[in-house]
Amino acid sequence: MGRNWAKNLRDCPEVKTVGWMDIRPGAPQAAIEELRLSDVPGFDDLQKAIAESRPDFVVDVTAPEAHYSVTLAALAAGIPVLGEKPMADSMERAREMVAASQKAGQLYMVSQSRRYHAGAIALADLVRRHLGPLGILNSDFYLGAHFDGFRHEMKNVLLLDMAIHTFDSARHISGADPVSVYCEEFNPSWSWHKGADSAVALFEMTGGLRYTYRGSWCAEGLSTSWESQWRAHGPGGAAVWDGESAPVAGVVCGKEGLIRESEKITAKLPEKYFGGIAGSLREFLEALSTGRKPQGECHDNIKSLAMAFAAVESAQTGRRVPVRGI
Ligand SMILES: NC(=O)c1ccc[n+]([C@@H]2O[C@H](COP(=O)([O-])OP(=O)(O)OC[C@H]3O[C@@H](n4cnc5c(N)ncnc54)[C@H](O)[C@@H]3O)[C@@H](O)[C@H]2O)c1
């Protein structure tokens, strides 16, 4: 993902990369060479990298357990941070990171790249304009993923590494925040992951919305999109999104009969836009120059992280548990 970010930064005219740091010796040099970023110095020590390259901001694309130390070091040096999800590997650490951002008076934004997918933006817009406050929201995520790296060993790999995206999207689409969750985590008999790679969860959200999540990272064949498949219901009707094409709404227009008539509305997707991490980079830069609070700002993003950790706690205790952010 560090390489993806390096390309994203290279392709943004407002940004110049002034250093690449990784604790694995030789890793920055190998990536710099591969991506032909010959004028970018490589470092294996963060303090040295900050002191010598004096960046205006740090992009933290390290493994989840390193987000805490990297982000705290940058914030302590008075440097804003755009970090990868999940914010941290525990709620305690995440709360410390939010407090550090506050203390330093510097922006810490978590890049939730799926918020910048044109279909997700269009679905959130359909909900707001036609459906009204949602009462029902469902998402399905079924993909078989054979990873190298930290995910192979990671506990709760689906909930903490992937479902965090989908949970955050549920907040984006509905505009609601989490209240409580009941969740079961499991590994199907053929699973190849050490940590739990499948889960079902039922969230109560503000306004009484019930959001159901079903997902698996060892479900091969007939995959869903990485964005998940969605169904939303509100007083104005329903909307569905397959995670790829334009979302569709059925807006109730009939006033009588057993089944009321509804009008089909297909969302229009923009032809040109900055999607994924290019979108989060643009929003971060805009926030730095205007002071406007971006999506993913740590005080808000911690609510999505809290959904993932509360789901893990529910799966471990077998109980419905409250979801608390800060
Ligand atoms: N938004 C997305 O769609 C998306 C996709 C993939 C990964 N990610 C996120 O990006 C992050 C990285 O994922 P990845 O797949 O590239 O992981 P990876 O394991 O392939 O790479 C992580 C890198 O971090 C380095 N690292 C570890 N500790 C460090 C430290 N203290 N200081 C500096 N470098 C350190 C490692 O040496 C390694 O090179 C994770 O948080 C992951 O969840 C996001």
Side-chain angles (χ1 to χ4, degrees):
M1 198 61 184
R3 282 169 168 71
N4 284 344
W5 268 102
K7 289 184 208 156
N8 183 31
L9 294 163
R10 180 197 63 196
D11 296 343
C12 177
E14 293 154 65
V15 176
K16 180 173 167 20
T17 304
V18 293
W20 186 319
M21 184 266 160
D22 196 303
I23 47 165
R24 267 186 308 124
Q29 288 74 17
I32 286 165
E33 210 168 291
E34 187 187 311
L35 300 177
R36 298 172 203 264
L37 302 170
S38 50
D39 57 341
V40 176
F43 299 92
D44 60 9
D45 180 273
L46 185 60
Q47 297 298 350
K48 193 165 176 248
I50 288 176
E52 288 187 18
S53 57
R54 304 169 67 84
D56 293 324
F57 64 91
V58 164
V59 181
D60 179 4
V61 200
T62 59
E65 67 273 14
H67 292 173
Y68 173 77
S69 61
V70 170
T71 292
L72 285 193
L75 290 171
I79 301 168
V81 178
L82 175 56
E84 260 301 342
K85 47 53 67 177
M87 184 187 291
D89 57 354
S90 73
M91 284 305 292
E92 292 70 27
R93 283 182 157 193
R95 289 184 187 116
E96 273 188 61
M97 292 157 85
V98 173
S101 162
Q102 210 159 306
K103 186 173 166 212
Q106 296 295 345
L107 174 62
Y108 171 35
M109 169 179 158
V110 176
S111 167
Q112 295 281 177
S113 52
R114 285 160 212 287
R115 284 193 178 229
Y116 304 92
H117 193 292
I121 296 168
L123 177 58
D125 189 54
L126 281 179
V127 167
R128 250 193 326 275
R129 287 198 293 128
H130 299 290
L131 270 51
L134 295 183
I136 300 165
L137 181 64
N138 303 337
S139 68
D140 274 347
F141 174 85
Y142 290 107
L143 264 175
H146 296 265
F147 290 110
D148 296 328
F150 69 84
R151 293 178 186 82
H152 220 72
E153 304 290 317
M154 187 176 174
K155 279 195 208 162
N156 322 106
V157 62
L158 180 76
L159 288 176
L160 296 184
D161 193 58
M162 185 60 219
I164 174 79
H165 274 302
T166 321
F167 297 164
D168 184 68
S169 294
R171 292 183 55 230
H172 174 213
I173 291 161
S174 66
D177 282 333
V179 175
S180 67
V181 62
Y182 174 77
C183 177
E184 293 193 10
E185 249 187 330
F186 59 104
N187 289 80
S189 61
W190 65 88
S191 160
W192 52 88
H193 294 102
K194 260 201 177 160
D197 63 6
S198 304
V200 289
L202 166 62
F203 288 91
E204 182 185 342
M205 310 284 282
T206 47
L209 165 65
R210 295 305 192 274
Y211 162 54
T212 58
Y213 170 87
R214 302 187 296 189
S216 175
W217 235 345
C218 72
E220 292 184 287
L222 301 177
S223 303
T224 62
S225 135
W226 283 89
E227 313 305 323
S228 301
Q229 282 178 358
W230 294 86
R231 171 175 278 267
H233 286 269
V240 292
W241 183 41
D242 63 7
E244 284 166 4
S245 38
V248 177
V251 179
V252 181
C253 53
K255 296 213 175 344
E256 50 196 34
L258 176 66
I259 308 291
R260 305 282 160 94
E261 203 182 322
S262 63
E263 180 196 357
K264 186 174 159 184
I265 298 176
T266 304
K268 281 200 177 62
L269 300 184
E271 277 170 24
K272 277 194 167 178
Y273 68 102
F274 291 109
I277 59 173
S280 67
L281 177 60
R282 294 313 188 283
E283 185 158 14
F284 179 74
L285 295 177
E286 201 218 348
L288 286 186
S289 65
T290 62
R292 195 177 309 152
K293 186 175 156 182
Q295 298 183 82
E297 193 278 329
C298 58
H299 290 78
D300 187 69
N301 183 262
I302 198 168
K303 295 177 193 168
S304 301
L305 187 75
M307 290 174 81
F309 278 110
V312 169
E313 186 188 333
S314 170
Q316 282 166 354
T317 59
R319 289 205 306 266
R320 175 175 167 145
V321 304
V323 183
R324 291 198 194 94
I326 293 172

PDB file of all heavy atoms in Angstrom, residues 16 30 54 67 74 115 126 154 173 220 241 247 254 265 305 321:
ATOM      1  N   LYS A  16       4.979  17.310  -3.039  1.00  0.00           N
ATOM      2  CA  LYS A  16       6.324  16.809  -3.386  1.00  0.00           C
ATOM      3  C   LYS A  16       6.740  15.881  -2.251  1.00  0.00           C
ATOM      4  O   LYS A  16       6.694  16.274  -1.077  1.00  0.00           O
ATOM      5  CB  LYS A  16       7.282  17.995  -3.492  1.00  0.00           C
ATOM      6  CG  LYS A  16       8.706  17.592  -3.843  1.00  0.00           C
ATOM      7  CD  LYS A  16       9.522  18.856  -4.104  1.00  0.00           C
ATOM      8  CE  LYS A  16      11.018  18.683  -4.167  1.00  0.00           C
ATOM      9  NZ  LYS A  16      11.573  17.410  -4.417  1.00  0.00           N
ATOM     10  N   ALA A  30      14.496   0.129  -2.180  1.00  0.00           N
ATOM     11  CA  ALA A  30      13.948  -0.781  -3.199  1.00  0.00           C
ATOM     12  C   ALA A  30      12.711  -0.164  -3.848  1.00  0.00           C
ATOM     13  O   ALA A  30      12.556  -0.183  -5.082  1.00  0.00           O
ATOM     14  CB  ALA A  30      13.607  -2.132  -2.563  1.00  0.00           C
ATOM     15  N   ARG A  54      12.021  17.585   7.000  1.00  0.00           N
ATOM     16  CA  ARG A  54      11.112  18.643   7.453  1.00  0.00           C
ATOM     17  C   ARG A  54       9.802  18.688   6.647  1.00  0.00           C
ATOM     18  O   ARG A  54       9.483  19.681   5.977  1.00  0.00           O
ATOM     19  CB  ARG A  54      11.820  19.998   7.379  1.00  0.00           C
ATOM     20  CG  ARG A  54      13.122  20.016   8.175  1.00  0.00           C
ATOM     21  CD  ARG A  54      13.949  21.244   7.888  1.00  0.00           C
ATOM     22  NE  ARG A  54      13.280  22.439   8.375  1.00  0.00           N
ATOM     23  CZ  ARG A  54      13.357  22.874   9.628  1.00  0.00           C
ATOM     24  NH1 ARG A  54      14.050  22.207  10.518  1.00  0.00           N
ATOM     25  NH2 ARG A  54      12.747  23.966   9.979  1.00  0.00           N
ATOM     26  N   HIS A  67       0.813   2.231  13.650  1.00  0.00           N
ATOM     27  CA  HIS A  67       0.178   3.548  13.452  1.00  0.00           C
ATOM     28  C   HIS A  67       0.336   4.432  14.690  1.00  0.00           C
ATOM     29  O   HIS A  67       0.553   5.638  14.591  1.00  0.00           O
ATOM     30  CB  HIS A  67      -1.319   3.381  13.130  1.00  0.00           C
ATOM     31  CG  HIS A  67      -1.572   2.742  11.793  1.00  0.00           C
ATOM     32  ND1 HIS A  67      -2.822   2.379  11.361  1.00  0.00           N
ATOM     33  CD2 HIS A  67      -0.720   2.386  10.792  1.00  0.00           C
ATOM     34  CE1 HIS A  67      -2.750   1.839  10.147  1.00  0.00           C
ATOM     35  NE2 HIS A  67      -1.477   1.820   9.791  1.00  0.00           N
ATOM     36  N   ALA A  74       4.933  11.955  14.823  1.00  0.00           N
ATOM     37  CA  ALA A  74       4.723  13.069  13.889  1.00  0.00           C
ATOM     38  C   ALA A  74       3.955  14.198  14.567  1.00  0.00           C
ATOM     39  O   ALA A  74       4.348  15.373  14.469  1.00  0.00           O
ATOM     40  CB  ALA A  74       3.983  12.569  12.649  1.00  0.00           C
ATOM     41  N   ARG A 115     -14.965   5.909   1.102  1.00  0.00           N
ATOM     42  CA  ARG A 115     -15.890   7.051   1.125  1.00  0.00           C
ATOM     43  C   ARG A 115     -15.837   7.854  -0.168  1.00  0.00           C
ATOM     44  O   ARG A 115     -16.711   8.675  -0.426  1.00  0.00           O
ATOM     45  CB  ARG A 115     -15.561   7.995   2.276  1.00  0.00           C
ATOM     46  CG  ARG A 115     -16.022   7.466   3.610  1.00  0.00           C
ATOM     47  CD  ARG A 115     -15.972   8.533   4.659  1.00  0.00           C
ATOM     48  NE  ARG A 115     -16.462   8.001   5.924  1.00  0.00           N
ATOM     49  CZ  ARG A 115     -17.376   8.605   6.689  1.00  0.00           C
ATOM     50  NH1 ARG A 115     -17.863   9.770   6.353  1.00  0.00           N
ATOM     51  NH2 ARG A 115     -17.769   8.044   7.811  1.00  0.00           N
ATOM     52  N   LEU A 126     -28.672   9.483  -2.593  1.00  0.00           N
ATOM     53  CA  LEU A 126     -30.039   8.960  -2.806  1.00  0.00           C
ATOM     54  C   LEU A 126     -30.768   8.848  -1.472  1.00  0.00           C
ATOM     55  O   LEU A 126     -31.940   9.193  -1.348  1.00  0.00           O
ATOM     56  CB  LEU A 126     -29.990   7.570  -3.456  1.00  0.00           C
ATOM     57  CG  LEU A 126     -29.732   7.454  -4.952  1.00  0.00           C
ATOM     58  CD1 LEU A 126     -29.706   5.985  -5.369  1.00  0.00           C
ATOM     59  CD2 LEU A 126     -30.785   8.205  -5.760  1.00  0.00           C
ATOM     60  N   MET A 154      -2.936 -12.053  11.638  1.00  0.00           N
ATOM     61  CA  MET A 154      -3.714 -11.072  12.406  1.00  0.00           C
ATOM     62  C   MET A 154      -4.970 -11.703  13.007  1.00  0.00           C
ATOM     63  O   MET A 154      -5.722 -12.396  12.327  1.00  0.00           O
ATOM     64  CB  MET A 154      -4.114  -9.926  11.459  1.00  0.00           C
ATOM     65  CG  MET A 154      -4.783  -8.760  12.123  1.00  0.00           C
ATOM     66  SD  MET A 154      -5.064  -7.447  10.870  1.00  0.00           S
ATOM     67  CE  MET A 154      -6.007  -6.298  11.859  1.00  0.00           C
ATOM     68  N   ILE A 173     -23.134   6.230   4.523  1.00  0.00           N
ATOM     69  CA  ILE A 173     -24.371   6.092   3.745  1.00  0.00           C
ATOM     70  C   ILE A 173     -25.590   6.531   4.556  1.00  0.00           C
ATOM     71  O   ILE A 173     -26.476   7.210   4.058  1.00  0.00           O
ATOM     72  CB  ILE A 173     -24.519   4.623   3.255  1.00  0.00           C
ATOM     73  CG1 ILE A 173     -23.447   4.325   2.197  1.00  0.00           C
ATOM     74  CG2 ILE A 173     -25.929   4.343   2.728  1.00  0.00           C
ATOM     75  CD1 ILE A 173     -23.186   2.851   1.960  1.00  0.00           C
ATOM     76  N   GLU A 220     -14.935 -17.926  -1.633  1.00  0.00           N
ATOM     77  CA  GLU A 220     -14.473 -17.815  -3.017  1.00  0.00           C
ATOM     78  C   GLU A 220     -15.604 -18.143  -3.991  1.00  0.00           C
ATOM     79  O   GLU A 220     -16.468 -18.957  -3.692  1.00  0.00           O
ATOM     80  CB  GLU A 220     -13.294 -18.755  -3.246  1.00  0.00           C
ATOM     81  CG  GLU A 220     -12.059 -18.293  -2.474  1.00  0.00           C
ATOM     82  CD  GLU A 220     -10.841 -19.153  -2.749  1.00  0.00           C
ATOM     83  OE1 GLU A 220     -10.804 -20.289  -2.270  1.00  0.00           O
ATOM     84  OE2 GLU A 220      -9.921 -18.675  -3.435  1.00  0.00           O
ATOM     85  N   TRP A 241     -27.296  -1.076  -3.995  1.00  0.00           N
ATOM     86  CA  TRP A 241     -26.041  -0.814  -4.710  1.00  0.00           C
ATOM     87  C   TRP A 241     -25.228  -2.100  -4.704  1.00  0.00           C
ATOM     88  O   TRP A 241     -25.036  -2.713  -3.641  1.00  0.00           O
ATOM     89  CB  TRP A 241     -25.254   0.316  -4.022  1.00  0.00           C
ATOM     90  CG  TRP A 241     -23.992   0.685  -4.735  1.00  0.00           C
ATOM     91  CD1 TRP A 241     -23.829   0.798  -6.084  1.00  0.00           C
ATOM     92  CD2 TRP A 241     -22.715   0.981  -4.147  1.00  0.00           C
ATOM     93  NE1 TRP A 241     -22.527   1.148  -6.369  1.00  0.00           N
ATOM     94  CE2 TRP A 241     -21.828   1.277  -5.211  1.00  0.00           C
ATOM     95  CE3 TRP A 241     -22.245   1.041  -2.836  1.00  0.00           C
ATOM     96  CZ2 TRP A 241     -20.497   1.601  -4.994  1.00  0.00           C
ATOM     97  CZ3 TRP A 241     -20.910   1.374  -2.632  1.00  0.00           C
ATOM     98  CH2 TRP A 241     -20.045   1.666  -3.700  1.00  0.00           C
ATOM     99  N   PRO A 247     -25.950   3.097  -8.146  1.00  0.00           N
ATOM    100  CA  PRO A 247     -27.008   2.683  -7.222  1.00  0.00           C
ATOM    101  C   PRO A 247     -28.389   3.030  -7.784  1.00  0.00           C
ATOM    102  O   PRO A 247     -28.523   3.969  -8.558  1.00  0.00           O
ATOM    103  CB  PRO A 247     -26.734   3.501  -5.958  1.00  0.00           C
ATOM    104  CG  PRO A 247     -25.416   4.126  -6.132  1.00  0.00           C
ATOM    105  CD  PRO A 247     -25.080   4.130  -7.586  1.00  0.00           C
ATOM    106  N   GLY A 254     -46.946   5.911  -4.986  1.00  0.00           N
ATOM    107  CA  GLY A 254     -48.375   5.572  -4.884  1.00  0.00           C
ATOM    108  C   GLY A 254     -48.910   5.912  -3.492  1.00  0.00           C
ATOM    109  O   GLY A 254     -48.155   5.940  -2.513  1.00  0.00           O
ATOM    110  N   ILE A 265     -35.306   5.222  -9.686  1.00  0.00           N
ATOM    111  CA  ILE A 265     -34.346   6.304  -9.985  1.00  0.00           C
ATOM    112  C   ILE A 265     -32.938   5.712  -9.985  1.00  0.00           C
ATOM    113  O   ILE A 265     -32.517   5.123  -8.995  1.00  0.00           O
ATOM    114  CB  ILE A 265     -34.414   7.425  -8.921  1.00  0.00           C
ATOM    115  CG1 ILE A 265     -35.798   8.062  -8.916  1.00  0.00           C
ATOM    116  CG2 ILE A 265     -33.333   8.477  -9.144  1.00  0.00           C
ATOM    117  CD1 ILE A 265     -35.987   9.108  -7.836  1.00  0.00           C
ATOM    118  N   LEU A 305     -13.903   2.917  14.128  1.00  0.00           N
ATOM    119  CA  LEU A 305     -12.999   1.948  14.765  1.00  0.00           C
ATOM    120  C   LEU A 305     -13.702   1.277  15.947  1.00  0.00           C
ATOM    121  O   LEU A 305     -13.577   0.064  16.160  1.00  0.00           O
ATOM    122  CB  LEU A 305     -11.733   2.656  15.247  1.00  0.00           C
ATOM    123  CG  LEU A 305     -10.641   1.720  15.773  1.00  0.00           C
ATOM    124  CD1 LEU A 305      -9.945   1.017  14.610  1.00  0.00           C
ATOM    125  CD2 LEU A 305      -9.592   2.478  16.597  1.00  0.00           C
ATOM    126  N   VAL A 321     -23.028  -5.453  23.040  1.00  0.00           N
ATOM    127  CA  VAL A 321     -22.209  -4.494  23.791  1.00  0.00           C
ATOM    128  C   VAL A 321     -22.393  -3.082  23.234  1.00  0.00           C
ATOM    129  O   VAL A 321     -22.630  -2.905  22.034  1.00  0.00           O
ATOM    130  CB  VAL A 321     -20.697  -4.866  23.797  1.00  0.00           C
ATOM    131  CG1 VAL A 321     -20.458  -6.244  24.334  1.00  0.00           C
ATOM    132  CG2 VAL A 321     -20.087  -4.736  22.416  1.00  0.00           C
TER     133      VAL A 321
END
